[in-house]
Amino acid sequence: MKTIDELLAEGVAGKRVFVRADLNVPLDGATITDDGRIRAVLPTVKALADAGAKVVVASHLGRPKGAPDPAFSLASAAARLGELLGSAVAFATDTVGESARSTVAGLTDGQVAVIENLRFNAGETSKDDAERGAFADRLAELADLYVGDGFGAVHRKHASVYDLPARLPHAAGFLIATEVGVLKQLTEDVKRPYVVALGGAKVSDKLAVIDQLLGKADRILIGGGMAYTFLKAQGHEVGISLLQEDQLPAVREYIERAEKTGVELVLPVDVLVSTGFPDLTAKAPTNPTTVTAGAIPGDQMGLDIGPESRKLYASKLADAGTVFWNGPMGVFEHPDYAEGTKAVAQALIDSPAFTVVGGGDSAAAVRLLGFDENAFGHISTGGGASLEYLEGKTLPGLAALEG
């Protein structure tokens, strides 16, 4: 895989460089609530601009239906990128239309432009190779070189991720190079004990990675909504907690495999419960109660791991050599149910291990709960991409950059 360092050494002054970034930031109206993904691509954009390139930044945001939708505009992200760069960033109001062409044509050496949300064009996400390729052809007209740096999208076979690199000389940006290097540390020559903490709502989202990790990890800690399917599989009642009954056979099989292979599978011993899901807007107190994990009342919902589980999980992380964490331990967005996620984050900070926060809600939780990002070994920008890499899948965006 060619790197941006090699590209810069060859010289990019005066050339139009298309940077596929991941500016898929959370928005409250037009206000960005977490600019982590913009900051992550900043080193690549700045290096290219400083070297005299005409930088064309492109990204998706949200899931528009293949047509323009003001709710998913990248205008706010473009403005924030300009603030971080300390210079004005031009913004094209379409992807491959007149605005994009004229905006790129008007760039001078060292200037940066952002084009509108790639998913405003149906060709970006089309499953039809010809339709996707036709959109990639039009994107290619905007650039001389391609730099892939949107790690959060490399598991998608989309036009700007998979098809466009085949049409232009290409290289991996700093972010992707870093992400791949970190993931290799989780799959090759891992320092042990290797402990994985998995949370989040649905066990179905994590089945494939659990399947892979049962042969590689020494210890797997389970929290979040997915824990209740595991508890149910062990014969416990889980009240009205989130439960995926269709996944119970697979979970029972994984519990048996863990026992046979000597992988320590750690489940909550107590949980915080309430009569329903909390209001995340008002965040009014809900007065949760703590019960043992095997005795959740029939009218109660588990919403976070309890105090004894927090101590248990911290102890299981304390002696780790390597830790991968993906998914919160509870409804961290509400203060009543944030302590489990806080405890895991703090345990990672306190551990001497090489610690990786696997993107998505875990990365959002680190920032929302006020932790110093630099206290972790690495915070990934791509939760889904990280998981699929660990599952052993070929990621289209990485394969395209290697081609």
Side-chain angles (χ1 to χ4, degrees), residues 166-187:
R167 289 158 167 77
L168 294 169
H170 51 267
F174 293 126
L175 175 61
I176 280 187
T178 299
E179 294 273 14
V180 171
V182 166
L183 288 169
K184 284 183 177 178
Q185 290 187 62
L186 297 176
T187 53

Side-chain angles (χ1 to χ4, degrees), residues 276-291:
F277 199 83
D279 183 342
L280 299 182
T281 303
K283 297 185 180 177
T286 61
N287 302 313
T289 55
T290 301
V291 300

Side-chain angles (χ1 to χ4, degrees), residues 7 12 15-19 48 53-57 142-147:
L7 199 67
V12 295
K15 295 182 179 179
R16 300 169 301 162
V17 183
F18 189 103
V19 177
L48 290 166
K54 300 171 182 178
V55 187
V56 182
V57 180
L142 300 175
D144 306 303
L145 303 168
Y146 176 94
V147 172

Side-chain angles (χ1 to χ4, degrees), residues 59-64 69 72-74 91-92 94-95 115-121:
S59 176
H60 69 288
L61 192 153
R63 296 179 182 273
D69 183 338
F72 298 107
S73 175
L74 281 171
F91 181 65
D94 57 28
T95 55
I115 63 173
E116 187 54 284
N117 192 334
L118 292 163
R119 291 184 183 175
F120 284 2
N121 189 303

